[in-house]
Amino acid sequence: MVEQTRSGKLIICPTPLGNLGDMTLRSRDALASADVVCAEDTRVTGKLLAALGIKKRLERLDEATLAARADAVASRVLAGEVIAYCSDAGMPGVSDPGMRLVKAVRDAGGTVEVLPGPVAAATAYVASGTQNTSFYFGGFFPRKDAQRHTLLQSLAALDAALIFYESPKRVVSALACLAQAFPYREAAVCRELTKLHEEIVRMPLADLAQTFADREAQGQIKGEIVLVVDGHSDAEDDVAQANAQQSAREVAAELRAQGMRKKEIAKQLAEQFGLARNEAYAIALGDEA
């Protein structure tokens, strides 16, 4: 470990999601006083610094370069360098390379200072209109169908809003997957948060998927997107239970027509639809309420 000679540190500097007025004074001061500013994209951060009137040496530190350079940055902090880090927008470390950088510096025994500021996930959670008092943040929604279905199945019973980042190029397929998994839930597409064309579209998921499929056909989907899906509810259970009962009645009628014994029908219905034994037997007999 490099001997620390002066008070070096890594400063995580959140930047505006889109509105320059959201830049905090502490982040502005940190960028101005740092020895160097490391950035996910030096072009993006360079424009921000220019708008703030700050002249500072910039170094690119993105996902592709961080694995090889994180330890070197940590050594520089231990040697006394003050390094500010910015992602393209919002809070570094939330679904971007900043998380790995923080870990590298902390593991090396260096100082990390995290400044508060804009976070797209939290902004979207409030703006979405969801009534869930807690939320699950899943970062970027998985790209592959199998991973999507596995994830949503694991989250189906969670009493919390589900929040994901998504690209405008994949938002239609993401919404279609969500609508299939949660056909009775509402959700919101939060697009271009804090910017001039900010938009919050909240609808039942099936309608939301169709709305954005129509937009894509017209080439109208642009900007950064956050998806907020309402969590599990009793109403959703009621609908699912009613659908299960109706499907069970249809299956029971077919099995009775085939001559299957009522006891065997009840057993199959209980296993297939997760019904209570008494309920399954009543449906098997055909005399349930």
Side-chain angles (χ1 to χ4, degrees):
M1 182 180 292
V2 177
E3 183 180 357
Q4 190 163 354
T5 57
R6 65 185 179 95
S7 185
K9 60 182 174 180
L10 170 68
I11 307 177
I12 299 299
C13 295
T15 54
L17 302 177
N19 189 319
L20 186 61
D22 294 332
M23 188 71 182
T24 70
L25 292 176
R26 286 186 67 193
S27 287
R28 184 194 302 258
D29 291 344
L31 292 172
S33 62
D35 295 319
V36 63
V37 174
C38 291
E40 184 179 6
D41 188 328
T42 54
R43 294 167 299 180
V44 172
T45 302
K47 291 179 181 178
L48 174 65
L49 294 181
L52 297 173
I54 297 173
K55 295 182 179 180
K56 191 66 57 174
R57 180 164 58 91
L58 280 165
E59 295 181 10
R60 189 178 186 94
L61 202 59
D62 57 15
E63 190 68 46
T65 60
L66 193 55
R69 295 187 56 201
D71 289 343
V73 172
S75 295
R76 289 164 58 185
V77 168
L78 291 173
E81 195 168 356
V82 176
I83 299 176
Y85 181 76
C86 298
S87 58
D88 289 349
M91 176 65 75
V94 180
S95 291
D96 76 18
M99 182 180 294
R100 183 180 298 180
L101 184 60
V102 169
K103 183 178 187 304
V105 175
R106 289 202 182 281
D107 286 351
T111 299
V112 178
E113 181 180 2
V114 180
L115 305 184
V119 182
T123 304
Y125 169 61
V126 177
S128 71
T130 185
Q131 295 302 294
N132 290 104
T133 56
S134 58
F135 67 84
Y136 165 91
F137 174 59
F140 280 93
F141 197 57
R143 297 189 180 191
K144 297 183 179 179
D145 285 341
Q147 293 175 341
R148 288 175 170 182
H149 291 305
T150 298
L151 174 63
L152 295 181
Q153 187 176 25
S154 72
L155 298 174
L158 195 63
D159 183 19
L162 310 179
I163 302 177
F164 300 99
Y165 291 161
E166 189 51 285
S167 160
K169 296 179 180 179
R170 294 189 297 272
V171 67
V172 171
S173 64
L175 288 170
C177 180
L178 288 164
Q180 182 179 24
F182 307 127
Y184 310 112
R185 297 190 191 185
E186 290 195 357
V189 172
C190 304
R191 190 179 65 84
E192 292 289 79
L193 289 170
T194 79
K195 300 178 184 177
L196 179 63
H197 299 293
E198 175 179 299
E199 180 182 37
I200 311 295
V201 184
R202 180 180 174 85
M203 299 177 182
L205 264 167
D207 296 338
L208 199 59
Q210 186 60 56
T211 295
F212 278 84
D214 293 343
R215 286 195 184 187
E216 185 177 61
Q218 300 171 19
Q220 293 182 349
I221 305 177
K222 297 180 180 179
E224 303 297 325
I225 291 173
V226 185
L227 304 176
V228 184
V229 182
D230 286 351
H232 181 83
S233 68
D234 292 340
E236 187 176 22
D237 281 342
D238 292 342
V239 173
Q241 179 70 8
N243 288 342
Q245 290 174 347
Q246 180 58 37
S247 296
R249 293 186 187 99
E250 295 171 359
V251 170
E254 293 176 2
L255 296 178
R256 284 196 300 269
Q258 296 171 13
M260 181 180 286
R261 296 172 57 192
K262 304 297 190 297
K263 186 175 181 179
E264 294 174 349
I265 294 175
K267 181 179 179 181
Q268 179 170 326
L269 296 180
E271 293 176 352
Q272 183 174 349
F273 297 101
L275 301 175
R277 183 169 57 181
N278 291 343
E279 183 181 16
Y281 195 71
I283 293 176
L285 291 175
D287 61 0
E288 80 285 358

